[in-house]
Amino acid sequence: MNHRLRTAERASRAAGKLLCDMLGSALGVRSKDVRSNLVTEADTASERLIREILTADFPGDAILGEEGGTSGDVRGGRWIVDPLDGTTNYAHGYRCFSVSIAYESGDGLQVGVVYDPMADELFSAAVGAGAQLNGAPLHVSARSDLRDGLLVTGFPPIGADDDLDNLRVMGRFMRRAQAIRRDGSAALDLCYVAAGRFEGFWEAGLHAWDVAAGALIVSEAGGRVSDYSGAPLRVDCGELVASNGLVHDAMLEVLHDRA
Ligand code: IPD
């Protein structure tokens, strides 16, 4: 599995360099399903590069990518790739975005790498082997009282008529936690929980490519990752709560308005 981790690290660094090189250039920004769901030339170029690197080392592996969909036979496992998490930030030159690459086998997530090229921060984890930031061990925070917690959330791209349940949830968290942020890259939000910078993160409407790598990194950094009911996360389930573990139950209470 170490080979897969090293390959994912190499691919994420290469893609991160490409994103930096293309930042601010003509991006060919267009909308996908709804107007606010963007894709740029950088997303597709980054995914093409990552697929080339993964396939060169592991020609038989299936790959799910945000832009290219699934290729290969997923029965043996799959790579899960977000070539540019934080596309809206990127398109505006707001320097909060990342590359996210995970490998999942039948036994669950095995490897996760998230790279922030602007900060040159590479977050990584292999199951059972802990999490690292640029090679140094990574740990969640020790704050146990939600009132002392800095939390982060996100909003999926929505259409004009979609409901905004999360605004009500956010209002409840604003009253219960120290402060709330909304940064725009779910993969980085998760890594910041793993690094103890945030105590917790919640969001609904996410995709496997947004969360797969970061979820493993949080778990391996000593945190907890679940769906909104508190059950262990399945990366395709669409909703996620991640925390340092200590504030997790309190977050679930707030989510369900039981606090
Ligand atoms: C988005 C980011 C954002 C989250 C959205 C995602 P993308 O991913 O992770 O933080 O709030 O739900 O869609 O589209 O930039 O890869």
Side-chain angles (χ1 to χ4, degrees):
M1 203 42 74
N2 235 359
H3 184 187
R4 282 204 169 82
L5 182 61
R6 299 292 158 240
T7 302
E9 289 177 349
R10 192 157 44 82
S12 66
R13 281 192 186 281
K17 180 175 182 320
L18 176 148
L19 294 177
C20 290
D21 290 347
M22 291 181 78
L23 184 64
S25 60
L27 288 170
V29 183
R30 59 186 173 78
S31 295
K32 297 200 271 190
D33 44 357
V34 292
R35 188 181 165 87
S36 61
N37 193 9
L38 304 182
V39 59
T40 71
E41 282 168 10
D43 294 73
T44 42
S46 174
E47 184 161 326
R48 204 176 311 122
L49 178 61
I50 293 167
R51 282 178 182 270
E52 275 169 23
I53 294 171
L54 298 181
T55 305
D57 279 19
F58 300 98
D61 282 4
I63 303 175
L64 166 66
E66 176 171 8
E67 310 310 334
T70 297
S71 58
D73 179 356
V74 297
R75 279 175 298 184
R78 59 175 179 168
W79 292 97
I80 304 174
V81 175
D82 193 337
L84 169 48
D85 186 52
T87 302
T88 305
N89 288 348
Y90 185 85
H92 288 264
Y94 177 56
R95 293 162 176 238
C96 174
F97 55 86
S98 61
V99 178
S100 175
I101 302 177
Y103 184 78
E104 182 185 51
S105 73
D107 295 329
L109 292 166
Q110 302 297 314
V111 156
V113 173
V114 174
Y115 183 51
D116 173 351
M118 299 310 307
D120 191 22
E121 289 194 322
L122 188 122
F123 301 87
S124 61
V127 68
Q132 282 87 38
L133 167 52
N134 290 344
L138 204 58
H139 298 289
V140 294
S141 80
R143 288 192 185 85
S144 57
D145 191 329
L146 191 59
R147 288 173 301 184
D148 302 322
L150 180 60
L151 306 183
V152 64
T153 188
F155 293 83
I158 56 163
D161 300 325
D162 290 344
D163 195 16
L164 266 174
D165 273 348
N166 197 32
L167 278 184
R168 286 184 285 279
V169 175
M170 193 174 177
R172 295 202 292 275
F173 273 117
M174 287 179 89
R175 291 188 186 88
R176 291 293 314 277
Q178 190 170 72
I180 312 294
R181 299 287 179 263
R182 190 279 192 259
D183 272 354
S185 167
L188 274 186
D189 294 338
L190 285 163
C191 291
Y192 277 33
V193 173
R197 298 169 186 172
F198 293 134
E199 274 59 54
F201 167 60
W202 82 94
E203 184 171 343
L206 290 164
H207 297 278
W209 49 76
D210 298 313
V211 301
L216 181 65
I217 293 167
V218 171
S219 305
E220 289 295 323
R224 181 175 162 195
V225 185
S226 76
D227 66 16
Y228 276 18
S229 78
L233 184 78
R234 287 166 295 106
V235 294
D236 293 306
C237 82
E239 59 184 30
L240 166 146
V241 186
S243 77
N244 63 4
L246 302 171
V247 301
H248 206 91
D249 287 338
M251 286 185 71
L252 294 174
E253 296 285 300
V254 175
L255 266 175
H256 298 290
D257 205 7
R258 295 190 300 249

